[in-house]
Amino acid sequence: NAPLLKKNRKGMWRTTKMDLKSFASFIESGGTWRPGINETSNVAKDVETMGLIALDFDGKEGRERFTEFEDSIAITYKTLSWSEENPNKERVVFILSRPVNKEEYVRLVKGLMTQFKSADAACTDAIRFFFGSSQPITRLKEVTLDVEKYLERFPAEVVKKSKAKSAPTDDE
């Protein structure tokens, strides 16, 4: 169960934990969520932990790497901007094997961005709110991104090359 911040029916934000199927149903109902958890405010510098990473894709490029990360991608879904005329709007969600702190989150996201170069670098910060979808989930798999494995795979010198806006704090 990954922690996430979601909007309830009364429009209030609250932290909750959901199993994968419940999270997928929440997404399919158009639910809004974000990976960064904080109990005190909606300010980026107050983010405490992250349990998810999401990457947005706006074009066909980049999907060739999906098979390499088959054991780590839990959910893919068409974003709200998807249409028959614009069929390449997709979001990929990684459920982390454990919650991570700010520094680990930045390293993981920037490392993933070195692998998925066509993902939208402007949509990776932990405070970002992600909208669900009006379309069915396109992938649902009970897998997690192994935090320790990928922290080792993405050393600090590798992630410096990424342009991802992944810093969960206002001052980075």
Side-chain angles (χ1 to χ4, degrees):
N1 288 350
L4 65 120
L5 194 71
K6 71 171 198 169
K7 188 184 269 188
N8 67 19
R9 301 273 183 231
K10 296 178 183 174
M12 303 293 289
W13 292 96
R14 68 182 176 91
T15 301
T16 189
K17 287 188 175 187
M18 294 181 159
D19 62 41
L20 186 62
K21 288 181 182 177
S22 297
F23 184 40
S25 294
F26 180 73
I27 289 169
E28 287 178 331
S29 71
T32 302
W33 60 278
R34 77 173 187 210
I37 303 300
N38 61 347
E39 301 292 342
T40 57
S41 74
N42 280 329
V43 179
K45 68 178 178 60
D46 293 330
V47 169
E48 298 161 4
T49 62
M50 287 63 64
L52 309 165
I53 292 174
L55 298 179
D56 279 10
F57 293 87
D58 296 327
K60 290 181 182 179
E61 305 82 29
R63 286 172 176 74
E64 66 278 355
R65 300 301 302 259
F66 284 14
T67 54
E68 181 181 340
F69 286 82
E70 182 76 20
D71 65 336
S72 302
I73 298 173
I75 297 174
T76 60
Y77 66 94
K78 297 171 183 173
T79 63
L80 288 175
S81 57
W82 179 91
S83 68
E84 294 291 336
E85 298 78 36
N86 197 6
N88 297 312
K89 302 286 189 169
E90 187 172 30
R91 184 163 296 128
V92 174
V93 180
F94 297 90
I95 309 284
L96 302 180
S97 60
R98 65 168 173 80
V100 296
N101 63 35
K102 295 173 187 180
E103 293 77 22
E104 291 170 323
Y105 180 83
V106 169
R107 195 159 135 204
L108 289 169
V109 170
K110 287 187 174 193
L112 287 168
M113 291 297 296
T114 65
Q115 303 300 302
F116 295 99
K117 294 182 183 350
S118 64
D120 187 345
C123 297
T124 57
D125 49 314
I127 200 78
R128 177 170 301 278
F129 289 104
F130 291 100
F131 295 107
S133 182
S134 58
Q135 302 292 320
I137 296 290
T138 53
R139 173 193 171 88
L140 181 64
K141 191 169 181 182
E142 292 271 353
V143 294
T144 60
L145 183 131
D146 184 330
V147 170
E148 305 312 323
K149 173 183 170 184
Y150 284 97
L151 285 175
E152 188 175 309
R153 181 174 174 177
F154 302 139
E157 58 274 6
V158 170
V159 301
K160 286 180 183 176
K161 298 175 186 175
S162 173
K163 295 179 175 135
K165 181 187 169 191
S166 60
T169 59
D170 294 321
D171 54 298
E172 289 189 8

